[in-house]
Amino acid sequence: MNQPFIITTITTNENGISIFSETDFEVHQRGGMFLTEQIASKNFRIRKSDVGYETDFHLSGDPTLLIILKGTLKIELQNGNFKTFSAGNYFIAKDNLPENVLFDNKIHGHKASVIGNEKLEAIHIKL
């Protein structure tokens, strides 16, 4: 049986608070491969960040698939929940607010930091 790709996703709940969830991408067998349908993307960037790099709380803006190539990235939510992503891990950041809600960095968003002893290398794909 074909198991879907399940990707950790940072999104927002009904109150505009960033939460971790999962996005499932159905796969179809093609020969010896299991592939999703095509997923549209706008562009991609290659990223490097030094050990100790850290952001303030922020929103993702455009939905972005991040693929970690090297190093470890910690993503922390306002409630203290966090996940770490290392080489070979990937996640989607798509937390954003409704148009009528103003961003407050004490309530909304997530923050990111490079942890461990290795610089971060990642690919950002805008979806």
Side-chain angles (χ1 to χ4, degrees), residues 23-39:
T23 302
D24 295 357
F25 290 91
E26 187 177 335
V27 296
H28 305 281
Q29 185 173 2
R30 293 198 179 137
M33 298 182 292
F34 294 92
L35 297 171
T36 67
E37 294 297 324
Q38 288 186 2
I39 301 168

Side-chain angles (χ1 to χ4, degrees), residues 72 85 98 100 105:
T72 302
F85 300 91
N100 60 340
N105 70 352

Side-chain angles (χ1 to χ4, degrees), residues 11-85:
T11 189
T12 47
N13 67 15
E14 63 279 356
N15 298 316
I17 305 301
S18 295
I19 59 171
F20 288 117
S21 64
E22 294 180 336
T23 302
D24 295 357
F25 290 91
E26 187 177 335
V27 296
H28 305 281
Q29 185 173 2
R30 293 198 179 137
M33 298 182 292
F34 294 92
L35 297 171
T36 67
E37 294 297 324
Q38 288 186 2
I39 301 168
S41 62
K42 297 178 183 177
N43 62 54
F44 77 95
R45 293 189 243 187
I46 300 170
R47 167 187 176 172
K48 290 185 178 189
S49 295
D50 289 331
V51 172
Y53 168 84
E54 191 172 17
T55 69
D56 290 327
F57 281 98
H58 64 282
L59 297 169
S60 62
D62 294 333
T64 305
L65 172 67
L66 289 93
I67 303 167
I68 308 302
L69 303 174
K70 185 177 178 182
T72 302
L73 186 66
K74 177 181 176 182
I75 302 294
E76 185 176 346
L77 305 180
Q78 290 280 357
N79 65 8
N81 287 348
F82 69 90
K83 292 185 183 276
T84 57
F85 300 91

